[in-house]
C-alpha cells in the first residue's frame, strides 16, 4: 500500500534563524526546543535549514513542506510528533548567494550550526583555524564560500557593509568551548579577508557557547518504514531520538534577541564550561571508548555493549575511577547520579546507536572527549588504565582491520594519515606524533604506558583487556 506523503498542516512562520548543517541531531534537539518556544511565547523564529554540500535533506524535506516526524523511543513507549518549525531547506553548494542573503537578511537574528567537529576547519589539538585547509584557502579568495567559517565571515561582512547588527552565532556541536572555537575560526578567517571585518566582528559579534545533549542515531531505511506503519503517512526524513534532552546556553545574544528558550527548559547560564566538560567527558568520552572497544569486541550498538556485563562494568569503572575525579561538577549536579542516568540511557534497547557511527571522525573527537581527562589525571598522578585502553583501541581501529584481521571502514578526515601511521612499524609513536590530535607534552607522557596497553590489547583482545582493568 502506498502511504500519503507527510505534509505541512501548520502555517508558515517568518524565518528568524538560519541553521547551517541541518541533520538528524538538530532536527531532534534544537529544532524541537525552538518549535516549543515559538508556540509558547511567539516571535518570528522559523528556521531556514541549509545543507552545505549534499542535496539529500532538501530533496527529502521539500516535498513535505519542511516538516518531519520526530519519534521518541523510550524503553517501552514510542511517541511520534510532527515538527513544523523548519520552513525551507537550501543547498549551499547550489545556491551560495541565496544562503548569504538569507543570513544577511535584517529579519535573521541567529545563525545556528551543527556542522560536526570537522566542519569548523580548526586544529582539534589547539582549537585554531587551519589556514591550510583547502576550503579555507578557497574562502579567503572567493566571496562565494564553501566552508561554515566562510559563510559566517562573508555573511557578517554583508551585514557590516549594510549597516546591520551582526547575527548571533549559536554553535550546537560537541566541541569544548564551542562558542570560543567558532568565534576564533570566524575571526581568523575574517582577518585574512579584511582586518576591518575582523575588528567589527570582535567588537559586535556574539558567540555563546552551548552544551547540547540528546542521543540521536542516524535514521536507517527500516526506521522510515516503521514510522510509516506507525503514523500512516510516508515521511522520507524522520528522526529517532531518546526521551532525554538537555541544552545549556550562555545567555549572550546580540541585542538579547532569541526565542524564549527558558520557558521550554533550556538552561540559560553565564558560563557553560563545567556543563560542557561533564557532558563531553562523561557521555561522549565513554561513547567513544565503547565505540572502539565495543566494536573490537564484536558489538554493533551501544545498548549491545551495555548488555555485555564486562563492558557495563568497564564503563561504570571509567566514570567512577577515571573521569569523575577529574571533573568539577556544575552547580546543583551530582556526577555519580549523572553517571547512573547515562547508564540507563545507554541501555535503552529501542535506540540502535551503532558503535561504527560513533567511531567516525575519532581524530576530531578524541582530544575533548578523552585526552583532556588523561592530561588532568597525569597531572594529578591518577592512573588511567581504562582511558589508555580506549586510546589503544582507537589506534587499532584506525588501522582499518580489527583484531581478527577483518576489514573496518574507517571514516575520518585524517583517514589516510591515520592509516599510514597506524600500519607503520611503530604505530603508537607514529600516531602520537600527529600534532593535530595529541599536544606534544601529553604525547610524551602517554608514550610508554600506551605502548604497553596497546601490546596488551593485541595480546588479550578487547573483552579480556577490559576485564583485567575492571
Ligand atoms: C556521539 C554523539 O556520534 C557521537 O560521537 O557520541 O553524537 C552523542 O550521541 C551526542 O553527543 C549525545 O548528546
Amino acid at each position: 500500500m502506498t502511504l500519503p506523503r507527510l505534509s505541512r498542516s501548520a502555517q508558515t512562520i517568518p524565518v528568524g534563524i538560519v541553521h547551517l548543517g541541518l541533520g538528524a541531531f538538530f532536527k531532534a534537539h534544537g529544532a524541537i526546543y525552538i518549535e516549543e518556544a515559538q508556540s509558547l511565547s511567539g516571535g518570528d523564529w522559523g528556521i531556514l535549514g541549509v545543507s552545505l554540500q549534499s542535496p539529500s535533506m532538501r530533496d527529502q524535506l521539500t516535498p513535505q513542506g519542511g516538516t518531519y516526524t520526530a519519534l521518541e523511543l523510550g524503553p517501552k513507549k514510542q511517541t511520534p510528533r510532527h515538527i513544523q518549525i523548519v520552513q525551507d531547506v537550501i543547498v549551499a553548494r547550489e545556491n551560495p548567494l541565496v544562503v548569504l542573503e538569507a543570513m544577511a537578511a535584517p529579519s535573521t537574528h541567529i545563525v545556528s550550526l551543527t556542522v560536526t567537529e570537522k566542519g569548523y576547519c580548526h586544529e582539534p589539538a589547539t582549537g585554531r583555524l587551519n589556514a591550510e585547509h583547502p576550503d579555507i584557502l578557497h574562502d579567503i579568495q572567493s566571496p562565494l564560500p564553501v566552508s561554515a567559517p566562510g559563510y559566517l565571515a562573508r555573511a557578517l561582512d554583508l551585514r557590516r557593509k549594510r549597516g546591520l547588527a551582526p547575527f548571533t552565532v549559536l554553535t550546537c556541536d560537541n566541541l569544548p568551548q564551542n562558542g570560543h572555537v567558532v568565534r576564533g575560526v570566524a575571526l581568523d578567517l575574517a582577518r585574512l579577508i579584511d582586518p576591518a571585518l575582523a575588528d567589527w566582528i570582535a567588537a559586535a559579534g556574539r558567540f555563546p557557547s552551548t552544551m547540547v545533549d540528546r542521543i540521536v542515531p542516524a535514521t536507517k531505511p527500516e526506521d522510515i518504514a516503521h514510522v510509516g506503519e506507525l503514523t500512516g503517512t510516508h515521511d522520507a526524513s524522520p528522526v529517532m531520538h531518546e526521551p532525554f534532552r538537555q541544552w545549556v546556553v550562555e545567555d549572550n545574544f546580540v541585542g538579547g534577541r532569541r526565542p524564549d528558550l527558558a520557558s521550554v527548559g533550556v538552561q540559560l547560564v553565564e558560563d557553560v564550561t563545567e556543563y560542557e566538560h561533564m557532558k563531553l567527558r562523561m557521555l561522549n568520552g565513554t561513547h567513544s571508548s565503547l565505540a572502539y572497544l565495543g566494536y573490537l569486541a564484536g558489538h554493533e550498538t551501544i545498548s549491545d555493549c551495555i548488555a555485555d556485563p564486562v563492558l557495563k562494568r568497564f564503563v561504570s569503572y571509567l566514570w567512577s575511577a577515571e573521569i569523575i575525579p577529574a571533573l568539577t561538577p556544575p552547580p546543583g549536579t551530582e556526577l555519580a547520579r549523572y553517571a547512573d542516568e547515562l547508564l540507563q540511557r545507554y541501555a535503552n534497547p529501542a535506540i540502535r546507536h551503532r558503535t561504527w557511527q560513533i567511531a567516525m571522525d575519532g581524530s576530531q573527537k578524541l582530544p575533548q572527549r578523552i585526552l583532556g581527562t588523561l592530561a588532568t589525571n597525569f597531572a594529578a598522578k591518577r592512573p588511567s588504565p581504562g582511558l589508555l585502553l580506549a586510546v589503544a583501541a582507537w589506534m587499532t581501529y584506525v588501522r582499518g582491520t580489527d583484531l581478527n584481521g577483518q576489514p573496518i571502514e574507517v571514516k575520518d578526515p585524517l583517514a589516510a594519515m591515520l592509516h599510514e601511521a597506524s600500519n607503520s612499524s611503530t604505530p603508537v609513536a607514529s600516531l602520537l606524533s600527529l600534532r593535530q590530535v595529541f599536544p606534544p607534552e601529553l604525547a610524551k607522557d602517554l608514550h610508554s604506558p600506551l605502548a604497553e596497553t596497546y601490546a596488551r590489547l593485541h595480546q588479550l583482545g578487547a573483552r579480556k583487556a577490559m576485564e583485567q582493568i575492571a
Side-chain angles (χ1 to χ4, degrees):
M1 194 183 70
T2 356
L3 297 171
R5 186 74 181 252
L6 182 71
S7 61
R8 176 172 289 277
S9 59
Q11 277 187 351
T12 55
I13 297 164
V15 167
I17 300 177
V18 174
H19 183 79
L20 304 184
L22 186 68
F25 179 74
F26 186 74
K27 283 163 67 187
H29 182 265
I32 299 183
Y33 276 110
I34 292 163
E35 171 156 311
E36 290 172 4
Q38 166 77 39
S39 61
L40 258 181
S41 310
D44 288 338
W45 296 113
I47 298 172
L48 172 69
V50 175
S51 295
L52 288 176
Q53 301 281 337
S54 154
S56 57
M57 189 60 74
R58 186 265 323 270
D59 295 348
Q60 292 161 7
L61 286 183
T62 305
Q64 13 190 103
T67 73
Y68 56 91
T69 313
L71 181 60
E72 180 174 304
L73 297 170
K76 301 218 175 79
K77 197 168 129 222
Q78 306 192 357
T79 320
R81 189 163 155 190
H82 188 192
I83 305 299
Q84 314 209 46
I85 193 73
V86 176
Q87 309 299 308
D88 199 2
V89 185
I90 317 178
V91 182
R93 206 178 37 173
E94 294 172 5
N95 280 314
L97 264 181
V98 178
V99 173
L100 286 173
E101 283 302 332
M103 294 168 77
S107 49
T108 296
H109 300 294
I110 295 176
V111 172
S112 51
L113 299 93
T114 44
V115 291
T116 80
E117 294 85 347
K118 60 180 178 286
Y120 292 83
C121 307
H122 69 304
E123 295 283 5
T126 62
R128 298 301 301 265
L129 181 75
N130 172 7
E132 307 294 312
H133 193 295
D135 291 352
I136 296 301
L137 290 173
H138 172 277
D139 289 356
I140 295 170
Q141 302 300 331
S142 168
L144 298 181
V146 291
S147 72
Y151 273 97
L152 294 175
R154 295 287 175 180
L156 285 168
D157 201 22
L158 288 178
R159 296 183 80 100
R160 176 179 71 111
K161 289 176 173 153
R162 293 174 188 173
L164 295 168
F167 43 71
T168 297
V169 179
L170 186 65
T171 159
C172 305
D173 280 295
N174 283 314
L175 290 167
Q177 303 200 312
N178 51 10
H180 186 75
V181 168
V182 72
R183 180 176 190 271
V185 294
L187 275 182
D188 285 351
L189 178 57
R191 200 158 299 284
L192 294 167
I193 295 171
D194 176 354
L197 170 63
D199 291 343
W200 181 75
I201 298 175
R206 293 290 178 271
F207 299 82
S209 284
T210 68
M211 180 271 249
V212 292
D213 189 10
R214 173 165 260 181
I215 292 175
V216 185
T219 302
K220 307 170 193 63
E222 58 267 32
D223 297 327
I224 296 179
H226 176 65
V227 167
E229 276 165 30
L230 202 70
T231 62
T233 47
H234 171 60
D235 178 351
S237 197
V239 284
M240 313 292 119
H241 63 82
E242 63 170 343
F244 181 92
R245 66 177 184 175
Q246 188 175 13
W247 199 4
V248 189
V249 178
E250 287 176 357
D251 199 3
N252 180 23
F253 288 71
V254 178
R257 298 194 74 136
R258 55 163 171 75
D260 184 8
L261 297 169
S263 67
V264 293
V266 175
Q267 293 158 264
L268 292 159
V269 301
E270 215 171 284
D271 180 359
V272 90
T273 313
E274 284 161 1
Y275 295 93
E276 195 177 69
H277 277 150
M278 169 183 81
K279 194 266 173 170
L280 287 171
R281 294 177 178 195
M282 288 186 66
L283 191 160
N284 299 107
T286 54
H287 244 188
S288 288
S289 303
L290 288 174
Y292 302 114
L293 286 161
Y295 186 97
L296 295 177
H299 294 309
E300 197 192 336
T301 67
I302 293 294
S303 57
D304 294 344
C305 289
I306 299 301
D308 180 335
V310 170
L311 278 79
K312 183 177 172 187
R313 207 169 42 241
F314 180 75
V315 77
S316 297
Y317 156 84
L318 283 182
W319 283 317
S320 62
E322 300 190 16
I323 303 177
I324 291 179
L327 283 172
T328 308
T333 312
E334 205 197 306
L335 296 178
R337 189 140 152 226
Y338 184 74
D340 289 345
E341 284 163 5
L342 285 178
L343 193 63
Q344 282 181 21
R345 292 168 63 192
Y346 289 3
N348 180 352
I351 296 285
R352 308 281 305 152
H353 202 183
R354 294 173 68 194
T355 47
W356 180 83
Q357 188 195 339
I358 299 165
M360 224 181 270
D361 295 345
S363 68
Q364 315 293 300
K365 294 174 174 175
L366 240 49
Q368 60 273 23
R369 295 181 176 207
I370 295 179
L371 303 184
T373 309
L374 276 173
T376 308
N377 286 350
F378 261 103
K381 304 211 179 332
R382 191 180 305 117
S384 319
L387 291 174
L388 285 169
L389 186 65
V391 178
W394 171 75
M395 292 183 153
T396 304
Y397 184 95
V398 296
R399 297 181 315 171
T401 32
D402 71 12
L403 292 165
N404 303 315
Q406 294 302 312
I408 304 176
E409 192 192 348
V410 178
K411 290 245 168 122
D412 195 293
L414 303 185
M417 219 184 268
L418 297 175
H419 187 264
E420 198 187 320
S422 59
N423 284 287
S424 73
S425 55
T426 52
V428 172
S430 305
L431 287 162
L432 282 174
S433 73
L434 296 177
R435 289 291 159 264
Q436 296 93 327
V437 184
F438 296 96
E441 271 307 301
L442 182 65
K444 235 192 286 155
D445 289 339
L446 286 181
H447 181 259
S448 125
L450 199 49
E452 197 189 299
T453 307
Y454 184 89
R456 195 153 12 90
L457 171 64
H458 285 244
Q459 190 195 346
L460 297 176
R463 259 183 118 252
K464 283 230 167 68
M466 283 183 270
E467 224 171 355
Q468 232 187 28
I469 294 173

